[in-house]
């Protein structure tokens, strides 16, 4: 990808789903770092207490999920994700924040939007609560569609068992990498256990799909049962 193609990450996101961005959202990939991190140091402790501690909630100051990405630019993160997933950098970051800032009464979308540049190094502008909610729903919708696509591919008989094993290994490695970037420390034992669990589930999926393809076919919309053609 040329440098010219990497200069407008959010415009690329907007071209995909322009109705998801709130009126307060601007280009989040134009600046290499948030202004708060690139400005001069406060003049003294009193000023730091007034402008740093009082304005930023304590749980926001302590949030360390994306610290491994300090200095990263939005367009680079977005390019990496678009090459390997359906989600954008904006959707990834906000979905993670919505999970982390969930309370008994719901998600703290106002807090997430107002403190977005402080929470995620590669996001450089604040978002409205509506924009946060739209990005979260966009993430959920893409995960659902990707899951349906993958499950159909696994069940339709197009891929062999070996093909699915190779595919699962690749997608698992990408998922683990994203989790590690978020700050999750994955032990080797936990990785092996997770891989075995995934392999076990996929074996069950293959066995179930073989039975389904040889028996009845039920419409997911109306529930009508169609008899499978024996010749097929």
């Amino acid at each position: 990808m040329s440098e010219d193609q990497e200069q407008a990450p959010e415009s690329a996101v907007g071209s995909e789903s322009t109705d998801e961005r709130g009126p307060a959202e601007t280009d989040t990939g134009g600046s290499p770092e948030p202004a708060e991190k690139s400005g001069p140091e406060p003049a003294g402790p009193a000023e730091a207490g007034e402008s740093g501690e009082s304005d930023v909630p304590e749980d926001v100051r302590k949030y360390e999920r994306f610290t491994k990405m300090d200095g990263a630019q939005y367009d680079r993160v977005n390019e990496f994700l678009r090459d390997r997933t359906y989600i954008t950098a904006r959707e990834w970051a906000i979905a993670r924040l919505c999970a982390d800032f969930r309370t008994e009464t719901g998600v703290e979308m106002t807090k997430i939007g107002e403190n977005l540049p402080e929470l995620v190094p590669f996001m450089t502008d604040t978002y409205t609560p509506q924009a946060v909610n739209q990005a979260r729903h966009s993430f959920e919708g893409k995960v659902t569609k990707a899951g349906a696509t993958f499950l159909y591919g696994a069940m339709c008989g197009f891929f062999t068992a070996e093909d699915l094993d190779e595919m699962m290994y690749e997608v698992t490695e990408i998922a683990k990498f994203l989790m590690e970037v978020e700050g999750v420390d994955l032990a080797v034992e936990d990785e092996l256990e997770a891989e075995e669990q995934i392999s076990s589930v996929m074996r069950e999926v293959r066995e179930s799909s073989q039975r389904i393809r040889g028996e009845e076919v039920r419409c997911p919309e109306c529930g009508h049962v169609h008899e499978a053609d024996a010749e097929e």
Side-chain angles (χ1 to χ4, degrees), residues 196-214:
E196 176 55 33
Q197 291 177 349
I198 293 172
S199 298
S200 176
V201 170
M202 291 309 302
R203 286 193 295 269
E204 294 180 4
V205 168
R206 288 195 293 268
E207 293 171 0
S208 299
S209 65
Q210 290 172 353
R211 291 195 299 269
I212 291 174
R213 292 197 305 272

Side-chain angles (χ1 to χ4, degrees), residues 149-207:
T149 304
F150 173 77
L151 189 57
Y152 167 72
M155 296 179 66
C156 70
F158 181 83
F159 298 102
T160 66
E162 291 73 17
D163 291 335
L164 289 175
D165 285 339
E166 292 178 4
M167 189 184 305
M168 286 305 303
Y169 175 80
E170 181 179 353
V171 300
T172 301
E173 288 300 305
I174 295 173
K176 288 191 301 184
F177 176 78
L178 294 179
M179 293 177 64
E180 290 172 352
V181 169
E182 292 176 0
V184 177
D185 187 13
L186 296 174
V188 176
E189 295 79 6
D190 295 336
E191 291 186 21
L192 294 176
E193 181 180 356
E195 290 175 0
E196 176 55 33
Q197 291 177 349
I198 293 172
S199 298
S200 176
V201 170
M202 291 309 302
R203 286 193 295 269
E204 294 180 4
V205 168
R206 288 195 293 268
E207 293 171 0

Side-chain angles (χ1 to χ4, degrees), residues 8-19 21 82 90:
E10 276 297 312
S11 62
V13 175
S15 65
E16 178 188 18
S17 54
T18 55
D19 61 330
R21 300 186 63 189
R82 282 183 174 275
R90 174 179 71 110

